[in-house]
Amino acid sequence: MAGGASSLDGKLLVAAIDFGTAYSGYAFSFRSDYRLDPLKIEVNHWTGNASQTMSPKAPSSVLLNPDKTFKSFGYTAEEEYSSLVENGQHQEWYFFTKIKMRLLYKEKISRTDIIEDECGKPMLGLTILSMIIRYLKNDLFKKLEQRGTSLRDQDILWVVTVPAIWSDAAKQFTKEATKEAGIKSDDVMLVYEPEAAALYCRFQNMQNIFNAEKESYLSKKKMLVFDMGGGTTDISVIEIKSEKEIHIVERACGGAFGGVFINNKFILWLEEVFGKDMIKEFKKKHRSDFMLLIENFETKKRLIKPGDDTKLCFQIPHSLKTSSERRWGCSLEEHFIKMDIVGVQVHKRGKIFIMSSFLLNNFFLPIAKDIFEKLRFVLSKHEDIDSVLAVGGLAQSSALVSEIRNYVKDIPVYVPFDSALAVVSGAVLYGHGNNIIKARACPYSYGIQTMRPFIKGDDETKKVVQEGETWCKQCFRALYKAGDLVKLGDVSSYDLEESFEDENRKHKRFLPIRCVLFISNDKDVRYVTDKGCTEHGTIEIEAPEDGFPVHYECTVELEFAGTEIIARLNDKKGAKTIRLEFMT
C-alpha cells in the first residue's frame, strides 16, 4: 500500500486520535456518513468529576494504581491525583503528564526509555503511551455501544496524529504503542498534524473562516500552515493541485513553542515572585488550587488582544496568599509594592491585575521569536504563498495571530472557528481519503554507505585497494535528497550482493543482513563521514531457515512519500516488506 496507507476495504468507521502534549482527544465518522457529508465528524467531549465544563479535549494525564495498573485518564486522573496529594496518599500511586514532550522529542529513542512520574517513580514510556491509546480506543467502543452500535476491531481504521517535525524513530515508537494497545498494524496509520488541519479547512465552507473578507479561501493554491499546539509549532507549505491532489512542497520545520511552554514561563514567574520553595510546597499541599490557578492563566492568555492593553484579573488562591504572607511577614500587597513589577497591580483579597502587554512581552514573544524567524525563512523561499492557515490551540490567541500577520505582511491569514479541532477532524478526513496527498518534500537526504571506483578529487583517506582495483570507501549513495519532491508510490532502490563462500563468512548465512540508513540535512553529501551525516536506521533482511545462498543477490526498495518509510525486498523467492529499525 503506497506511503504506508491502510486499506479502507471492509471498514465501517474512521477514528482519529489526537495525542497532544497538553491535551488529547478523538473524533470519528462512519463511511456511510462521509459519502453524504464529509464534515459530519463527531468529536468526543470530556468532563471531570468536579467540572461541569464539557471540553473536546482532555488533559494528557494518566493515573495508575500502586500495582501499576490503569486507573484513570484526563480530567478524572488530575482530580483523583489532586485528592490523593492533598490527603498525603499519593506516594504509592503513579501520575504522568506531558508524556509526549518528555518521551518523543529526543534525538535518540528506545523501546526501553523510561519516564518518571510526578514523584520520580519510573515506568516504561511505551507502556504509558499504550495505556492512553488503549483507553481512548475503549472509550470509543463504549460510546458506540451506548448508542446501540456494535463494531468489531476490524471494522475501524485508526488514524493517529503526529507532528510533522517528528523523527522516524518517534513515529515508529507511536506505531508500536498502538500495537501494544491492541490495534493491529494494518488498521492504523499516521498523519502529520499540519496536513490534517489543511485538509479539514479545505473542506470547510467560506463562512467558517475568520477574516476572510471578500477573498475566496478555497481558491488559494499555495498555503503555509502554522500549527501551534501544546508542545510544538509545525510549519508546512502545501500546494493545492486540484480538489483531489495536494503536494507538501516544503520540509516541515518548527520547534518547541506551544501552550505548555507559555504556561511554564508563567510558573517560573510565580516562583520568582513567591519563591521556588513556596510554589513547590503550594503545588504539593494544595494541588487543586494550583491547577485552578494554571487553568485561570490558560483561559486569560487567550483574551490578550493586539493593541488593547487591558488588565487581566488573577485570583491568588487563599492557601498560597496566607502561607506566603506568613513567611514574608507582610501582606501580599506590600510584597508586590517592594518588588515594583511594572505592569502588575495587587488589590485586596488576593486579586492581581496583570496588563496584557506584560503577559505578551514576558511569556509569549520570547519563546515565539525563533519560530517566527523560521516562518520568515520559509516565506523567503516560497514567494508565491498566497495564504497562511493558523491552527492549533494557540491560534485562538488573537495576539499571536496578530504577530503572525506582522511577519507575513500582505499575505492573508485565516483562522478556523474551531482551530483547536482542525487537526483531529482533518485526521478523520485523511483516513477516508489518504491518497489525496500525492507528494511530499523529503525531510532529509537519505542514503546508504557504498564503495565505488576512486576518481580524481576524492578524499585520499578513503582510498582502498582490493584485488588490484582502487576503490573509494564510505561513500554516501543518495536514495533521496533533502527537499526533493517525492510522489506517492515512487521508490528508490539499490542492489545488494553478498558472498558467503569465504570460510570466515559461512556462518553469516544464517544471520540477518543489515544495512545502515544515513541521513543529512544537506542536499549534496559525498561521504557518510561528512559533518551532519548520521546513522539514522537499519534495514534488516532476515535469513531464511536454510540460510542465504552462498551467492546472494537482491534489490531493496524504499518508499518515502507517505508519513512512514516502507522497505521492500525483491529476490529470487519473490517480494516482501522488510523491517526498518529506527529506535536504538
Side-chain angles (χ1 to χ4, degrees), residues 40 81 90 125 214 329 374 479:
K40 189 176 180 182
Y81 184 69
H90 65 290
K214 296 181 181 180
K374 290 178 180 178
L479 299 170

Side-chain angles (χ1 to χ4, degrees), residues 561-578:
T563 53
E564 302 166 67
I565 302 175
I566 307 299
R568 300 184 185 91
L569 172 71
N570 281 285
D571 59 16
K572 290 182 178 180
K573 292 187 176 181
K576 65 177 181 180
T577 301
I578 56 176

Side-chain angles (χ1 to χ4, degrees), residues 499-570:
S499 175
F500 302 97
E501 193 170 11
D502 189 281
E503 193 66 33
N504 295 324
R505 285 183 53 82
K506 284 185 177 179
H507 71 284
K508 292 187 176 182
R509 291 180 52 224
F510 302 92
L511 300 177
I513 296 175
R514 293 184 175 91
C515 181
V516 176
L517 189 65
F518 292 84
I519 61 167
S520 173
N521 284 312
D522 294 333
K523 195 173 183 69
D524 296 308
V525 188
R526 295 192 69 185
Y527 309 106
V528 297
T529 55
D530 286 355
K531 184 178 180 181
C533 187
T534 59
E535 291 188 15
H536 185 63
T538 304
I539 303 162
E540 184 173 294
I541 304 171
E542 292 185 4
E545 288 187 12
D546 56 348
F548 290 108
V550 174
H551 296 285
Y552 179 67
E553 297 180 1
C554 69
T555 299
V556 176
E557 295 181 346
L558 293 172
E559 183 182 340
F560 285 75
T563 53
E564 302 166 67
I565 302 175
I566 307 299
R568 300 184 185 91
L569 172 71
N570 281 285

Side-chain angles (χ1 to χ4, degrees), residues 352-514:
I352 294 182
F353 290 87
I354 304 179
M355 302 303 294
S356 58
S357 60
F358 179 88
L359 294 177
L360 184 65
N361 293 326
N362 287 277
F363 303 146
F364 285 72
L365 298 185
I367 306 173
K369 183 180 178 182
D370 290 342
I371 296 296
F372 286 138
E373 286 302 314
K374 290 178 180 178
L375 171 62
R376 192 198 302 272
F377 173 73
V378 172
L379 289 169
S380 69
K381 289 180 63 179
H382 298 270
E383 296 181 354
D384 56 341
I385 287 174
D386 51 21
S387 63
V388 173
L389 181 65
V391 297
L394 280 179
Q396 297 173 355
S397 168
S398 58
L400 276 180
V401 173
S402 177
E403 288 295 321
I404 294 173
R405 290 196 170 98
N406 290 337
Y407 273 77
V408 303
K409 302 188 184 303
D410 297 329
I411 302 174
V413 178
Y414 300 102
V415 184
F417 276 104
D418 49 0
S419 60
L421 297 179
V423 170
V424 71
S425 299
V428 174
L429 293 171
Y430 183 79
H432 284 292
N434 54 74
N435 286 330
I436 191 172
I437 299 176
K438 302 292 188 183
R440 289 183 174 88
C442 202
Y444 310 104
S445 290
Y446 288 86
I448 58 170
Q449 177 176 289
T450 61
M451 203 161 61
R452 57 168 173 75
F454 191 89
I455 59 176
K456 185 178 179 180
D458 278 337
D459 186 344
E460 289 291 331
T461 65
K462 309 294 185 187
K463 183 187 290 186
V464 293
V465 178
Q466 290 184 358
E467 299 178 355
E469 299 286 338
T470 305
W471 298 87
C472 186
K473 65 179 181 179
Q474 297 179 320
C475 294
F476 182 91
R477 190 223 191 241
L479 299 170
Y480 287 101
K481 292 187 177 183
D484 282 356
L485 199 63
V486 184
K487 293 184 178 180
L488 197 66
D490 283 355
V491 297
S492 183
S493 63
Y494 65 91
D495 295 327
L496 181 68
E497 294 184 22
E498 290 283 346
S499 175
F500 302 97
E501 193 170 11
D502 189 281
E503 193 66 33
N504 295 324
R505 285 183 53 82
K506 284 185 177 179
H507 71 284
K508 292 187 176 182
R509 291 180 52 224
F510 302 92
L511 300 177
I513 296 175
R514 293 184 175 91

